[in-house]
Amino acid sequence: MALVVKFVLLVLAAVLLSHSNGYPRGGKAAAMGLPPPPPTVNFSIGVQGVVWCKSCRYRGYFPPMDASPLPGAVVYLRCRHGRRAATFRGVSGAGGYFLIQTSQQVAAFTSQECRVYVPRSPVSACSVPFYPTGNKGLQLKFQEFVKRGNGLQGLYSVGNRLFRPKYPNQC
């Protein structure tokens, strides 16, 4: 019996490791000896990122990026699988940082079926999408597992969403 249990655990570990090729190594998950999640695993999702205004010097200006954080940007996490869809709303804080945490409602979606959208800048002088361009949405990049009261949550990052002024020196 013990031999069967060991065999099942070994096969499960091999399957999980073989599906982790599309995710970056590192972070706390790798430090704990856990592989990043395969794209087919369902659990609650947390998404974080920062909204910036390129080339404008507002409060919190960050010289290495030549950008200022944009507080008050409305951010959406949209997950879609066939006809099923779910949307979660968030708002960037004082430093342009946002964090959207989902509940069990998103368990029907995988991380590859979700995207983050920042449709417009909260500042009219800095309203032109700079990076990424288009309406494709930002892809989720795995960062770490976070233990929550209701189980594990996959914490993802979408990086930076940049806007710029329509005309140079308009800020």
Side-chain angles (χ1 to χ4, degrees):
M1 182 69 170
L3 185 60
V4 172
V5 171
K6 286 181 183 178
F7 178 75
V8 169
L9 289 175
L10 183 63
V11 169
L12 181 60
V15 168
L16 287 174
L17 287 173
S18 70
H19 283 87
S20 65
N21 293 338
Y23 291 93
R25 300 270 180 212
K28 291 183 180 177
M32 294 185 319
L34 296 172
T40 56
V41 172
N42 290 316
F43 47 83
S44 67
I45 295 175
V47 178
Q48 63 183 354
V50 182
V51 182
W52 298 90
C53 179
K54 186 79 172 158
S55 302
C56 290
R57 292 182 182 230
Y58 299 132
R59 185 177 188 182
Y61 176 74
F62 187 56
M65 280 184 65
D66 184 31
S68 301
L70 289 177
V74 178
V75 181
Y76 296 98
L77 170 63
R78 292 188 183 141
C79 299
R80 179 172 301 214
H81 180 81
R83 292 184 175 192
R84 290 179 301 159
T87 300
F88 304 90
R89 183 182 183 270
V91 177
S92 63
Y97 172 80
F98 64 87
L99 173 65
I100 300 173
Q101 292 185 321
T102 65
S103 63
Q104 297 296 344
Q105 297 171 343
V106 82
F109 304 98
T110 65
S111 61
Q112 292 181 339
E113 297 170 329
C114 298
R115 297 266 192 259
V116 170
Y117 298 88
V118 185
R120 63 185 151 272
S121 170
V123 178
S124 60
C126 189
S127 60
V128 177
F130 181 67
Y131 178 80
T133 58
N135 268 345
K136 296 179 184 176
L138 302 165
Q139 288 185 319
L140 281 63
K141 299 171 198 130
F142 178 75
Q143 276 194 302
E144 64 181 314
F145 288 114
V146 177
K147 186 161 176 72
R148 295 186 63 192
N150 59 352
L152 279 181
Q153 179 180 70
L155 184 60
Y156 292 83
S157 172
V158 293
N160 299 309
R161 174 63 162 114
L162 296 170
F163 290 93
R164 67 172 176 78
K166 187 173 184 175
Y167 303 105
N169 302 323
Q170 183 182 5
C171 304

